[in-house]
């Protein structure tokens, strides 16, 4: 599973993930610290009962680790 993380000047975290089934498809997962909200444009977000796809869960862990340093 490959991913690239960009930290923007206004403290948003963005991670780009490559689809496991099609390497030409990329999904963008974003965390907005001012609101505490996460967003992902993958289809798994809509399938998950709680709206938290694997990309959001992975980014939540990274954000929590950064905040606990």
């Amino acid at each position: 599973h490959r991913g690239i993380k960009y930290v923007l000047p206004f403290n948003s975290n963005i991670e780009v993930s490559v689809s496991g089934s099609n390497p030409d498809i990329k999904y963008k997962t974003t965390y907005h610290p001012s609101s505490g909200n996460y967003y992902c444009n993958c289809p798994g977000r809509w399938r998950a009962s709680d709206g938290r796809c694997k990309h959001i869960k992975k980014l939540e862990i990274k954000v929590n680790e950064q905040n606990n340093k």
Side-chain angles (χ1 to χ4, degrees):
H1 183 62
R2 295 174 277 188
I4 301 170
K5 181 179 174 188
Y6 302 96
V7 179
L8 301 179
F10 52 92
N11 264 352
S12 284
N13 288 309
I14 297 176
E15 189 164 287
V16 178
S17 303
V18 178
S19 170
S21 61
N22 184 343
D24 295 331
I25 298 175
K26 295 178 177 58
Y27 302 119
K28 183 167 76 170
T29 310
T30 310
Y31 169 63
H32 303 278
S34 59
S35 65
N37 292 328
Y38 292 83
Y39 175 77
C40 186
N41 65 347
C42 80
R45 181 171 186 261
W46 309 112
R47 289 188 204 130
S49 60
D50 61 358
R52 294 169 57 236
C53 65
K54 65 182 181 181
H55 308 111
I56 288 176
K57 291 176 183 177
K58 182 178 172 187
L59 187 55
E60 284 175 336
I61 291 169
K62 286 186 178 185
V63 167
N64 287 333
E65 287 174 352
Q66 288 175 353
N67 290 339
N68 291 329
K69 285 186 178 181

